[in-house]
Amino acid sequence: MIYMKFQIAVIGGGPAGYTAAETAGKAGMSVVLFEKNCVGGVCLNEGCIPTKTLLYSAKVYDTACHAGKYAVKVEQPEFDLSKIVARKAKVVRKLVLGIKNRLKDCCVTVVQGEAQVVDAHTIRCGEESYECEKLILCTGSETFVPPVPGIGQVDYWTHREALDNKEVPRSLAVVGGGVIGMEFASFFCSLGVPVTVIEMMDEILQGTDPELAALLREEYTRRGVKFLMGTKVTSLAPVADGISISFEKQGEVGSLEAHKVLMSVGRRPVTHGFGLEGLGLKCNQHGVPEVNEFMQASLPDVYICGDLNGRSLLAHTAVRQAEVAVHHILGKPDKMSYRSIPSVVYTNPEIASVGASEEALKLMEIDYRCIQLPMAYSGRFVAENEGVNGVCKIFVDDEDYLLGVHLLGNPASELIVMAAMMIEDGRKLSDWKRYVFPHPTVGEIFREAE
């Protein structure tokens, strides 16, 4: 058995893991990174990047189909799903190679295999053991599939199968109207697939501003997507042409059939399979390790970054957490803040939010004012969105400090970072007036708010 010594050992090569490894490596520390599958984690290999690649192809196809609205004639636009999926794979390969090269440039030792934690300073992988001064755990999250009766007898999809599918389904039922469910509903709707979204709650996209979520649902209803809200799936069964779905809605039972079923009810931290239980860390009632503002667990030499700590299951949060953890190890002043973590739904149109929601402000009994503007206040938005509108909602306190910003309309994902920086830095609504925005841009909508 060979023992190798490193200053930092990182388990998990997703956004948190590779960021931690790269940051520490750049600082001159000796780092070993363990990854059992592919560097890049779920986000790069089967999550954020591949889904957005598919969604962009769908957006281009949508644009071609509706080019007449912009006085452009396109004869019978077509798509090739197998080539869309092939392009997705090419994009992923390119980005994975880029991360591998960055880790190599930082002299990070990458070990392919399943790491097992022996204690806070020892990791075993295969026949070899590794010693470390600090341990950073970044094992990510996994798809949660509910134990619906009959699920073991049907060929259902998770996001992984949906991403690699090369044949257009005759119909699709999406169980779960969260971010993943709505993004896949958007993609397949654009390809002309009859889509039904089944959601237990009364509205899609829980945690999103309910008014904007309702507007997005209405837009996709107009495009032909069917929504069963407040509906619980009670069983699944195979039938000749796909899958039969039984459900209950407000005490009444019903059923429908779909060629394919996508299960997308959520994700949960991966807390098993690598020896976490042997560390004896302080955990919450769900078995998720607790961390402080420096990402330290209850053992001071162990840090928990990314989805494993359960604070915010988002790739960009994971990246920031990893930076904070390594900075703390290096003795640099830094700590994690969650006040301005943006969230985005990459449907068409997009929804993006940052800061407090109206519901949260009411629960906290914070006095606030809501400024709501149509995105048509932006000339650029009107020029590029024929017959489409959007909404900008801004919440401020009684001194006009920004509390939350919520957007519906493209390109919300690119605009929301401006609001995030303002909230993080404790800026007032009037501060936007001091900045000169290029004209015309959709971002000018922020200067209109008062």
Side-chain angles (χ1 to χ4, degrees):
M1 184 176 292
I2 301 174
Y3 281 87
M4 287 172 276
K5 296 184 178 181
F6 295 86
Q7 289 172 289
I8 293 183
V10 182
I11 298 180
Y18 69 69
T19 300
E22 182 180 1
T23 304
K26 282 182 178 178
M29 304 188 80
S30 59
V31 184
V32 59
L33 170 66
F34 300 93
E35 172 54 52
K36 65 179 181 180
N37 294 315
C38 297
V39 171
V42 169
C43 175
L44 178 49
N45 292 281
E46 54 186 60
C48 314
I49 299 300
T51 54
K52 278 54 184 181
T53 306
L54 297 187
L55 285 165
Y56 188 75
S57 290
K59 186 176 181 180
V60 171
Y61 179 63
D62 269 339
T63 301
C65 288
H66 300 96
K69 295 193 300 183
Y70 303 92
V72 176
K73 187 175 182 180
V74 178
E75 296 287 352
Q76 297 181 329
E78 297 179 352
F79 66 87
D80 187 326
L81 183 54
S82 62
K83 290 183 178 179
I84 290 174
V85 173
R87 178 177 178 271
K88 177 264 298 182
K90 180 185 73 172
V91 169
V92 170
R93 285 195 302 271
K94 180 178 180 178
L95 295 175
V96 168
L97 180 60
I99 291 173
K100 287 180 177 179
N101 287 336
R102 284 160 51 187
L103 293 172
K104 182 179 179 181
D105 290 344
C106 295
C107 300
V108 174
T109 299
V110 178
V111 178
Q112 184 85 31
E114 292 199 35
Q116 289 292 318
V117 176
V118 178
D119 57 45
H121 301 284
T122 311
I123 299 96
R124 185 179 297 117
C125 187
E127 298 299 318
E128 298 180 349
S129 290
Y130 303 77
E131 292 184 2
C132 62
E133 297 173 14
K134 305 291 183 181
L135 174 61
I136 305 179
L137 301 177
C138 312
T139 55
S141 62
E142 61 188 355
T143 300
F144 170 66
V145 179
V148 178
I151 196 167
Q153 284 70 55
V154 299
D155 186 21
Y156 66 90
W157 283 352
T158 64
H159 71 282
R160 187 179 296 110
E161 290 78 22
L163 283 170
D164 289 334
N165 169 66
K166 297 180 182 179
E167 296 183 1
V168 182
R170 292 184 292 277
S171 60
L172 174 68
V174 179
V175 180
V179 175
I180 296 172
M182 283 305 302
E183 289 183 352
F184 277 109
S186 172
F187 175 71
F188 284 104
C189 172
S190 293
L191 302 190
V193 176
V195 177
T196 301
V197 176
I198 306 171
E199 169 57 50
M200 284 187 64
M201 306 302 288
D202 292 332
E203 189 54 87
I204 60 172
L205 301 172
Q206 291 298 302
T208 300
D209 183 90
E211 181 182 5
L212 302 192
L215 289 171
L216 185 72
R217 175 172 51 80
E218 290 168 7
E219 171 61 22
Y220 275 94
T221 299
R222 185 185 64 79
R223 299 183 193 182
V225 176
K226 296 180 180 179
F227 290 90
L228 296 177
M229 308 307 300
T231 302
K232 179 182 179 180
V233 174
T234 54
S235 67
L236 301 172
V239 292
D241 196 38
I243 299 173
S244 175
I245 305 161
S246 297
F247 58 83
E248 181 179 336
K249 178 180 174 68
Q250 296 179 343
E252 298 184 2
V253 297
S255 65
L256 61 90
E257 292 185 7
H259 181 210
K260 295 293 181 181
V261 171
L262 170 64
M263 302 298 295
S264 59
V265 299
R267 299 183 64 80
R268 60 186 176 190
V270 175
T271 58
H272 55 87
F274 60 96
L276 176 67
E277 58 281 355
L279 289 174
L281 300 179
K282 183 179 180 181
C283 298
N284 64 19
Q285 66 269 30
H286 304 293
V288 175
E290 295 182 359
V291 295
N292 62 16
E293 59 191 356
F294 308 115
M295 313 319 300
Q296 275 179 307
S298 53
L299 291 178
D301 290 337
V302 178
Y303 293 76
I304 313 286
C305 300
D307 292 359
L308 177 58
N309 63 50
R311 294 298 302 272
S312 169
L313 275 63
L314 295 168
H316 42 283
T317 305
V319 167
R320 178 65 184 134
Q321 289 177 343
E323 292 170 344
V324 168
V326 176
H327 290 167
H328 188 253
I329 292 170
L330 294 170
K332 294 183 177 181
D334 199 1
K335 61 182 179 180
M336 189 64 199
S337 168
Y338 296 94
R339 66 180 300 192
S340 61
I341 303 291
S343 63
V344 180
V345 187
Y346 292 88
T347 46
N348 187 19
E350 298 173 344
I351 286 183
S353 303
V354 68
S357 65
E358 189 165 14
E359 181 182 28
L361 293 172
K362 289 178 178 178
L363 287 173
M364 293 185 289
E365 298 183 345
I366 295 175
D367 292 332
Y368 68 92
R369 178 168 66 96
C370 176
I371 302 103
Q372 184 162 326
L373 302 173
M375 295 295 276
Y377 271 45
S378 160
R380 175 76 175 273
F381 185 88
V382 175
E384 296 183 353
N385 292 272
E386 180 65 31
V388 178
N389 205 346
V391 178
C392 171
K393 293 181 72 172
I394 299 173
F395 298 112
V396 296
D397 66 13
D398 52 10
E399 295 183 48
D400 273 0
Y401 284 99
L402 286 163
L403 300 172
V405 177
H406 307 266
L407 304 171
L408 170 64
N410 298 332
S413 59
E414 299 292 342
L415 302 179
I416 201 65
V417 67
M418 289 191 283
M421 290 189 290
M422 295 281 282
I423 292 173
E424 184 65 30
D425 292 342
R427 298 292 186 179
K428 289 187 175 184
L429 187 67
S430 58
D431 286 326
W432 262 318
K433 299 286 189 182
R434 298 190 297 105
Y435 303 120
V436 179
F437 286 65
H439 176 76
T441 54
V442 183
E444 288 177 289
I445 191 74
F446 292 137
R447 298 192 83 254
E448 298 290 338
E450 56 186 14

